[in-house]
Amino acid sequence: MSHKTRLIAALDTQSIQQAHDWAQQLVGHVDALKLGLEFTYACGLEAVKGFAQKHPLFLDLKLHDIPNTVAGGLSALGQIHPKLLTIHAAGGPAMIERAREALEAAYPNSAERPTLLAVTVLTSMDEHALQEIGVSGSVEDQVLRLGKMAIASGADGLVCSSKEIIPLRQALGCQPTLVVPGIRPAGSASDDQKRIMTPTDAARAGADWIVVGRPITRATHPAEAARAIQAELQSV
Ligand code: C5P
C-alpha cells in the first residue's frame, strides 16, 4: 500500500469522564477519536465541542432527513470542527449535494472542512433485511450502488465493512476516503461484530481509516492495545 492506514478509537460511552479518561490515555497512540449518538445525546453538543477542540474527532451522527434539514444541521456543526462526519447515503443525491454545499459554506477554508462520509448499508443489515425494506439483490450490489451515487453527489468518502473495501476500490478507485469499522486484532474477541477483519488485512485491502472500539477501550491497558494496532499498521 502506498498510503498509511490511520487508527480511530470509538469511545462508546455516555460518560464525559470516561470519554476523557480514554482520550487522555490514547493521546499520541491513535489518529482520531470517534463519538456517536450515544455520547452526543447523553452529554450534549457542548461536550462534543470540547472534545473536538482537543482531539481530531470523527463525529458519527449518521444524518438522514430531507435535504434542507440535513443542510441546516451540518451548518450548525460549523461550530464544532470535527475531522470526519457521517450522513446516510440512502438520503439520496439531493440530500448529499446539499450536505456538501452546507459544509463548504460553513468551512470556507477547504483545509478545515470535515471529510463528508456516507454510510451505505448498515452492517446490521443482511440480504433478507434489505428485501424487507424493498431492496432486491445482494448487500454488495446495494453498497456499490449507494457508494457510487454518494461519491458522485459530493461525499468525500464512505463508511463500509471490511468485506466491501476491495469491490469499492475497484469501482471507485483510490480517491474516496474509506473508513472501516468491525476490525479485530488477531486473537481478540469478535463481540457482536459479524464481518470482521484484522488491521493488517483491512490496510492491505485499502482502508484509509480503521475504527476500533472495544478491543481498545476494554483492554486492561488501552494505550498498549492501540500501540499494538499501530505497530501492525506500520508493518503493512
Ligand atoms: O467495539 P467495536 O470495535 O465493535 O466498535 C465499532 C464502532 O464502529 C462502534 O462505535 C460502532 O457503532 C461503529 N460502527 C460499526 N459498524 C458500522 C458503523 C459503525 O461497528 N457499520
Side-chain angles (χ1 to χ4, degrees):
M1 287 295 298
S2 55
H3 73 289
K4 180 184 178 301
T5 301
R6 287 177 284 177
L7 174 61
I8 298 170
L11 306 186
D12 290 314
T13 176
Q14 297 182 13
S15 153
I16 296 185
Q17 189 55 49
Q18 175 68 87
H20 279 289
D21 283 353
W22 280 332
Q24 218 163 11
Q25 293 177 62
L26 293 172
V27 164
H29 303 298
V30 299
D31 301 292
L33 299 169
K34 180 174 100 79
L35 297 173
L37 288 172
E38 185 178 1
F39 181 88
T40 305
Y41 284 150
C43 305
L45 271 180
E46 276 306 308
V48 173
K49 191 170 169 182
F51 239 86
Q53 283 164 351
K54 291 199 203 132
H55 310 283
L57 176 68
F58 172 19
L59 184 55
D60 187 20
L61 297 180
K62 298 190 177 70
L63 303 189
H64 187 178
D65 209 316
I66 60 170
N68 193 53
T69 301
V70 167
L74 289 179
S75 56
L77 287 184
Q79 307 287 319
I80 291 186
H81 293 265
K83 191 170 176 58
L84 306 122
L85 54 80
T86 46
I87 58 175
H88 264 289
M95 189 198 84
I96 298 167
E97 282 162 18
R98 288 291 305 279
R100 173 67 183 243
E101 285 166 16
L103 285 179
E104 286 183 355
Y107 297 89
N109 177 353
S110 64
E112 287 176 11
R113 181 163 54 80
T115 301
L116 177 63
L117 300 169
V119 176
T120 54
V121 177
L122 293 171
T123 44
S124 52
M125 303 279 285
D126 58 13
E127 202 166 310
H128 177 69
L130 281 181
Q131 264 173 21
E132 290 194 307
I133 59 163
V135 177
S136 56
S138 69
V139 171
E140 186 177 313
D141 289 343
Q142 181 68 354
V143 167
L144 286 172
R145 183 180 305 125
L146 289 174
K148 287 183 204 165
M149 177 276 293
I151 297 301
S153 304
D156 299 301
L158 304 167
V159 179
C160 67
S161 87
S162 52
K163 242 182 88 172
E164 292 142 11
I165 304 171
I166 289 175
L168 283 169
R169 284 284 180 231
Q170 282 167 350
L172 295 166
C174 61
Q175 191 61 33
T177 301
L178 295 186
V179 176
V180 184
I183 299 295
R184 289 294 177 270
S188 66
S190 59
D191 302 306
D192 53 352
Q193 293 284 11
K194 301 244 167 10
R195 287 178 275 164
I196 57 174
M197 201 179 246
T198 63
T200 304
D201 289 340
R204 285 202 179 120
D208 294 295
W209 297 83
I210 57 170
V211 180
V212 183
R214 289 161 289 182
I216 292 176
T217 55
R218 295 205 183 157
T220 315
H221 300 292
E224 208 38 66
R227 253 204 310 269
I229 296 170
Q230 292 282 24
E232 211 182 310
L233 293 175
Q234 293 296 341
S235 66
V236 171

